[in-house]
Amino acid sequence: MARILTGIQSTGVPHLGNLLGAIIPAINLSKDSDNECLFFIADMHSFTTVRDPRVLKNNTYATAAAWLSFGFDTDRNIFYRQSDITEVCELAWYLNCFTPYPMLANSHSFKDKSDRLASVNAGLFTYPVLMAADILLYDAQIVPVGKDQSQHLEITRDLANAFNYIYKDTFTIPEIDLDKKSMIVTGTDGQKMSKSYNNDINIFLPEKLLKKQIMSIKTDSIPLSDSKNPETCNVFKIYKLIANENQLNQMKSNYINGNYGYGHAKNELLELILTKYKKQRVEFVRLMKNKNLIDEKLKLGSTKARSIAESVLQRVRSNIGY
Ligand code: ADP
Ligand code: TRP
């Protein structure tokens, strides 16, 4: 049985890129009965930048509702809110006292964020230490992450090894599971889809608003009657990731045969999203209207997570000499 852990920052409603690139693959991993999965909402990491309490709270609900609507089984696995298990802050402190300053100063993600943001706080600087605490607090064995997080995982492994060198057998050293296939979903402007580029498709929106997002996908100006190249078209690039083989072949020939405009393709993409994700869209809205249901699931997860966290933290305290 492998213990798999990963965190998801709650920075808004998860978009199609988050779903196809991270959430659905992680849920698939959790279906293997050989795995025990701990997935949590990293709302303390979100606090490095979010300052509006309602936004912070609502982002957590929207993120949780997305996972739940795609069928994440919270009875068989552990799904929790990072801020519910404050033991992580105690462990982060012990790890802070083990972290060489240059290790954090050289972090790519810190350099990138501190270049972009007007105000840079110490939480942003020690972000990787909290992340290490997230992982080590649960004796995680495997941590699936995207390429952008691999340096944070190296920091976690370095800290755990340095700690174990002095305080023997304290931490389980986690393995990185780098998502090599890492599907990149294109946004409405043709760049990588991201909340920060304002080019995302939110499949949970009411139909009218979803249509507006899909209609805003950038296309070229080849006339309706002409043949078009599906592979270079932003609409087709998105359609391709969710359509089945028949639907795909049909759209391909429509593009090539001509007399098929981008408006037609966009309408088909909209229809496909509405039918393929019909159940999830309904469930997302139901959960967002009944946040107590989300709270119940997260509470159950926190109880399970806390029992692991307490025993690991006890081991750390005792090894340190407290
Ligand atoms: P965003 O860029 O929208 O802020 P995050 O950086 O919070 O997204 O990413 C959360 C997860 O979703 C990560 O695992 C990331 O790899 C995945 N992800 C984000 N955008 C995409 C995309 N366009 N295509 C595929 N996966 C994505
Ligand atoms: N930093 C991760 C991200 O931005 C989220 C995260 C926080 C995480 N703690 C973690 C991921 C622990 C894996 C393990 O995507």
Short mmCIF file of all heavy atoms in Angstrom, two decimals, residues 144-165:
data_model
loop_
_atom_site.label_atom_id
_atom_site.label_comp_id
_atom_site.label_asym_id
_atom_site.label_seq_id
_atom_site.Cartn_x
_atom_site.Cartn_y
_atom_site.Cartn_z
N PRO A 144 2.65 13.19 -6.18
CA PRO A 144 2.51 13.54 -7.60
C PRO A 144 2.38 15.06 -7.76
O PRO A 144 1.55 15.69 -7.09
CB PRO A 144 1.19 12.86 -8.02
CG PRO A 144 0.51 12.44 -6.76
CD PRO A 144 1.41 12.69 -5.59
N VAL A 145 3.22 15.64 -8.59
CA VAL A 145 3.16 17.09 -8.83
C VAL A 145 3.54 17.41 -10.28
O VAL A 145 4.13 16.58 -10.96
CB VAL A 145 4.15 17.89 -7.93
CG1 VAL A 145 3.63 18.05 -6.53
CG2 VAL A 145 5.54 17.32 -7.97
N GLY A 146 3.21 18.59 -10.70
CA GLY A 146 3.63 19.08 -12.01
C GLY A 146 5.09 19.52 -11.94
O GLY A 146 5.65 19.68 -10.84
N LYS A 147 5.68 19.74 -13.11
CA LYS A 147 7.11 20.06 -13.20
C LYS A 147 7.48 21.30 -12.38
O LYS A 147 8.56 21.37 -11.79
CB LYS A 147 7.44 20.30 -14.69
CG LYS A 147 8.82 19.85 -15.07
CD LYS A 147 8.96 19.85 -16.57
CE LYS A 147 10.35 20.34 -16.93
NZ LYS A 147 10.36 21.07 -18.19
N ASP A 148 6.55 22.27 -12.34
CA ASP A 148 6.84 23.53 -11.65
C ASP A 148 7.07 23.33 -10.14
O ASP A 148 7.62 24.21 -9.47
CB ASP A 148 5.70 24.54 -11.87
CG ASP A 148 4.36 24.02 -11.38
OD1 ASP A 148 4.11 22.80 -11.54
OD2 ASP A 148 3.57 24.80 -10.83
N GLN A 149 6.65 22.19 -9.61
CA GLN A 149 6.77 21.96 -8.16
C GLN A 149 7.96 21.06 -7.82
O GLN A 149 8.18 20.73 -6.65
CB GLN A 149 5.50 21.30 -7.62
CG GLN A 149 4.26 22.17 -7.75
CD GLN A 149 4.36 23.44 -6.93
OE1 GLN A 149 4.80 23.42 -5.78
NE2 GLN A 149 3.99 24.56 -7.52
N SER A 150 8.73 20.62 -8.81
CA SER A 150 9.76 19.61 -8.53
C SER A 150 10.86 20.17 -7.61
O SER A 150 11.37 19.46 -6.75
CB SER A 150 10.32 19.01 -9.80
OG SER A 150 10.95 19.99 -10.53
N GLN A 151 11.18 21.45 -7.75
CA GLN A 151 12.22 22.01 -6.87
C GLN A 151 11.74 22.01 -5.41
O GLN A 151 12.52 21.73 -4.49
CB GLN A 151 12.59 23.43 -7.30
CG GLN A 151 13.87 23.90 -6.63
CD GLN A 151 14.20 25.34 -6.94
OE1 GLN A 151 13.31 26.17 -7.18
NE2 GLN A 151 15.49 25.66 -6.93
N HIS A 152 10.46 22.27 -5.20
CA HIS A 152 9.92 22.23 -3.83
C HIS A 152 10.03 20.82 -3.24
O HIS A 152 10.28 20.65 -2.05
CB HIS A 152 8.45 22.66 -3.84
CG HIS A 152 8.26 24.13 -4.10
ND1 HIS A 152 7.11 24.65 -4.62
CD2 HIS A 152 9.09 25.17 -3.91
CE1 HIS A 152 7.24 25.96 -4.74
NE2 HIS A 152 8.44 26.29 -4.32
N LEU A 153 9.85 19.84 -4.09
CA LEU A 153 9.95 18.45 -3.62
C LEU A 153 11.40 18.09 -3.28
O LEU A 153 11.67 17.38 -2.32
CB LEU A 153 9.41 17.50 -4.68
CG LEU A 153 7.99 17.00 -4.47
CD1 LEU A 153 7.91 16.09 -3.26
CD2 LEU A 153 7.01 18.14 -4.26
N GLU A 154 12.34 18.63 -4.07
CA GLU A 154 13.77 18.40 -3.78
C GLU A 154 14.11 19.03 -2.43
O GLU A 154 14.86 18.45 -1.64
CB GLU A 154 14.66 19.00 -4.87
CG GLU A 154 14.62 18.29 -6.21
CD GLU A 154 15.03 16.81 -6.13
OE1 GLU A 154 15.63 16.39 -5.12
OE2 GLU A 154 14.73 16.07 -7.09
N ILE A 155 13.57 20.21 -2.17
CA ILE A 155 13.81 20.88 -0.89
C ILE A 155 13.27 20.00 0.25
O ILE A 155 13.93 19.79 1.27
CB ILE A 155 13.16 22.29 -0.87
CG1 ILE A 155 13.89 23.20 -1.86
CG2 ILE A 155 13.15 22.89 0.54
CD1 ILE A 155 13.31 24.61 -2.02
N THR A 156 12.08 19.45 0.05
CA THR A 156 11.47 18.59 1.08
C THR A 156 12.39 17.40 1.38
O THR A 156 12.66 17.06 2.54
CB THR A 156 10.10 18.04 0.58
OG1 THR A 156 9.27 19.14 0.26
CG2 THR A 156 9.45 17.17 1.63
N ARG A 157 12.87 16.77 0.31
CA ARG A 157 13.74 15.59 0.50
C ARG A 157 15.04 15.99 1.20
O ARG A 157 15.51 15.29 2.11
CB ARG A 157 14.03 14.93 -0.86
CG ARG A 157 12.84 14.16 -1.41
CD ARG A 157 13.05 13.78 -2.87
NE ARG A 157 14.28 13.03 -3.08
CZ ARG A 157 14.37 11.71 -2.94
NH1 ARG A 157 13.32 11.01 -2.62
NH2 ARG A 157 15.52 11.09 -3.13
N ASP A 158 15.62 17.12 0.81
CA ASP A 158 16.87 17.58 1.44
C ASP A 158 16.66 17.84 2.93
O ASP A 158 17.49 17.46 3.76
CB ASP A 158 17.37 18.87 0.78
CG ASP A 158 17.96 18.60 -0.60
OD1 ASP A 158 18.14 17.40 -0.93
OD2 ASP A 158 18.23 19.57 -1.33
N LEU A 159 15.55 18.52 3.25
CA LEU A 159 15.29 18.84 4.67
C LEU A 159 15.09 17.56 5.47
O LEU A 159 15.61 17.42 6.59
CB LEU A 159 14.05 19.74 4.81
CG LEU A 159 14.17 21.16 4.27
CD1 LEU A 159 12.87 21.93 4.45
CD2 LEU A 159 15.31 21.90 4.96
N ALA A 160 14.33 16.63 4.90
CA ALA A 160 14.04 15.38 5.63
C ALA A 160 15.33 14.59 5.86
O ALA A 160 15.57 14.06 6.96
CB ALA A 160 13.04 14.54 4.84
N ASN A 161 16.20 14.56 4.85
CA ASN A 161 17.46 13.83 5.00
C ASN A 161 18.37 14.50 6.03
O ASN A 161 19.01 13.83 6.85
CB ASN A 161 18.20 13.73 3.65
CG ASN A 161 17.64 12.59 2.82
OD1 ASN A 161 17.43 11.49 3.32
ND2 ASN A 161 17.40 12.84 1.54
N ALA A 162 18.42 15.85 5.99
CA ALA A 162 19.27 16.58 6.95
C ALA A 162 18.77 16.35 8.38
O ALA A 162 19.56 16.16 9.31
CB ALA A 162 19.25 18.07 6.61
N PHE A 163 17.47 16.35 8.53
CA PHE A 163 16.86 16.14 9.85
C PHE A 163 17.16 14.72 10.34
O PHE A 163 17.60 14.50 11.48
CB PHE A 163 15.35 16.34 9.73
CG PHE A 163 14.69 16.81 10.98
CD1 PHE A 163 14.42 18.16 11.18
CD2 PHE A 163 14.30 15.91 11.98
CE1 PHE A 163 13.79 18.61 12.33
CE2 PHE A 163 13.66 16.35 13.13
CZ PHE A 163 13.41 17.71 13.31
N ASN A 164 16.95 13.75 9.45
CA ASN A 164 17.16 12.34 9.81
C ASN A 164 18.63 12.06 10.15
O ASN A 164 18.93 11.14 10.90
CB ASN A 164 16.76 11.41 8.66
CG ASN A 164 15.26 11.21 8.60
OD1 ASN A 164 14.52 11.69 9.46
ND2 ASN A 164 14.79 10.50 7.58
N TYR A 165 19.54 12.86 9.60
CA TYR A 165 20.97 12.66 9.84
C TYR A 165 21.26 12.90 11.33
O TYR A 165 22.05 12.19 11.95
CB TYR A 165 21.76 13.63 8.96
CG TYR A 165 23.25 13.42 9.03
CD1 TYR A 165 23.83 12.30 8.41
CD2 TYR A 165 24.08 14.31 9.71
CE1 TYR A 165 25.20 12.08 8.48
CE2 TYR A 165 25.45 14.12 9.77
CZ TYR A 165 26.00 12.99 9.16
OH TYR A 165 27.34 12.78 9.24
#
